[in-house]
């Protein structure tokens, strides 16, 4: 069993920054790809960013490229998403996810095996 718990979501003004964290228990991050997805009201859950087990490969949705940075600290079993220059359209529930089947980053939602409960990010103007 793997549990993923996101934290760090908050209300922030446009242009501000937040850092989301995802703490994993029940497994280590070793050899697991991890990613962030988000879901706004009335929309499907969408890919945000993913990172390889080593941290050496990352991928981002075009909407967040250059503003968000995904990272992981395997010693702490923690995944991070640094979000800068936040925009109102970034408002969503943010979920972390883990794919036990690969160490490579990818955006295929159906291939992620474990999901957190989400943390709310609200960006106001």
């Amino acid at each position: 069993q793997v549990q993923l718990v996101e934290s760090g979501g908050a209300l922030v003004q446009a242009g501000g920054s937040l850092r989301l964290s995802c703490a994993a228990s029940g497994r280590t991050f070793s050899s697991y790809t991890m990613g962030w997805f988000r879901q706004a009201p009335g929309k499907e859950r969408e890919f945000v960013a993913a990172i390889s087990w080593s941290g050496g490969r990352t991928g981002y949705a075009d909407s967040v490229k250059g503003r968000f940075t995904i990272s992981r600290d395997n010693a702490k079993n923690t995944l991070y998403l640094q979000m800068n220059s936040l925009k109102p359209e970034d408002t969503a529930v943010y979920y972390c996810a883990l794919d036990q089947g690969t160490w490579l980053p990818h955006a295929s939602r159906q291939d992620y095996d474990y999901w957190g409960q989400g943390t709310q990010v609200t960006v106001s103007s």
Side-chain angles (χ1 to χ4, degrees):
Q1 186 73 268
V2 174
Q3 292 87 39
L4 303 174
V5 180
E6 302 93 339
S7 62
L11 172 65
V12 63
Q13 293 183 338
S17 297
L18 286 172
R19 189 176 79 161
L20 305 183
S21 298
C22 173
S25 61
R27 293 283 194 280
T28 69
F29 286 163
S30 297
S31 300
Y32 289 86
T33 291
M34 297 195 71
W36 288 97
F37 291 74
R38 67 187 182 186
Q39 188 167 20
K43 297 181 65 178
E44 292 293 311
R45 194 168 299 184
E46 68 175 356
F47 171 75
V48 175
I51 187 167
S52 65
W53 171 78
S54 69
R57 297 183 182 180
T58 58
Y60 297 90
D62 187 65
S63 59
V64 306
K65 183 77 172 180
R67 299 187 298 119
F68 291 10
T69 302
I70 188 170
S71 62
R72 66 194 294 173
D73 185 338
N74 290 344
K76 296 181 180 294
N77 288 337
T78 303
L79 177 74
Y80 302 99
L81 185 68
Q82 179 66 47
M83 305 185 295
N84 298 326
S85 301
L86 282 161
K87 304 174 180 179
E89 53 262 45
D90 295 317
T91 295
V93 176
Y94 283 72
Y95 299 88
C96 67
L98 183 153
D99 180 357
Q100 68 184 76
T102 184
W103 66 275
L104 295 171
H106 66 86
S108 181
R109 179 183 175 184
Q110 66 267 27
D111 289 333
Y112 284 89
D113 302 295
Y114 301 99
W115 296 84
Q117 293 298 306
T119 186
Q120 177 71 49
V121 172
T122 303
V123 184
S124 66
S125 60

